[in-house]
Amino acid sequence: QVQLVESGGGLVQAGGSLRLSCAVSGRTYNIYGMAWFRQAPGKEREFGARIRWSGGTSYYADSLKGRFTLSRDNARNIVYLQMNSLKPEDTAVYYCAASDYRLESNPASYEYWGQGTQVTVSS
């Protein structure tokens, strides 16, 4: 099993920044892919960014490109999502996800999920 715990959400004004953290524990040696998703009220969960657990190039949804950056702290098993130039439409619950087998943009591809952290961007 893999456990994921997100933190770092909060209320921020438009144009501001937040850094989300996803602490990963358990059978981390089996993980293949990591991703961030988000879900706004009344909407489906949507892909944000992904990266191989072993490292490499990050891939971002178009709506996040140029503003969000995904990174890893290998020693501490933490995955970060640095969010800059935030917009009100970025308001959502942000989820960290992991998979032992896949690295995709489809949330159904991920076996492990955190509890989510709320990000609210005021205009």
Side-chain angles (χ1 to χ4, degrees):
Q1 283 286 359
V2 171
Q3 293 79 43
L4 307 174
V5 179
E6 302 99 332
S7 61
L11 173 64
V12 64
Q13 287 189 332
S17 298
L18 282 174
R19 188 178 75 163
L20 305 184
S21 300
C22 175
V24 186
S25 60
R27 294 171 59 183
T28 59
Y29 52 86
N30 270 357
I31 297 173
Y32 179 72
M34 293 288 302
W36 284 94
F37 290 83
R38 65 185 185 182
Q39 188 165 17
K43 295 188 176 182
E44 293 187 353
R45 193 165 297 189
E46 67 171 358
F47 166 75
R50 67 177 192 241
I51 191 170
R52 277 196 191 88
W53 179 245
S54 59
T57 304
S58 303
Y59 179 80
Y60 301 89
D62 288 343
S63 57
L64 276 57
K65 281 180 185 176
R67 300 188 299 123
F68 289 19
T69 304
L70 193 156
S71 62
R72 289 188 58 220
D73 183 331
N74 293 350
R76 299 173 63 194
N77 284 343
I78 299 176
V79 177
Y80 298 102
L81 186 67
Q82 177 66 44
M83 307 187 298
N84 298 329
S85 302
L86 283 162
K87 306 174 182 179
E89 50 264 43
D90 293 319
T91 295
V93 177
Y94 283 70
Y95 296 92
C96 177
S99 174
D100 290 341
Y101 311 105
R102 303 173 190 88
L103 179 64
E104 298 178 1
S105 303
N106 184 346
S109 300
Y110 293 83
E111 301 89 73
Y112 309 108
W113 290 86
Q115 81 288 351
T117 185
Q118 176 70 47
V119 171
T120 303
V121 184
S122 63
S123 56

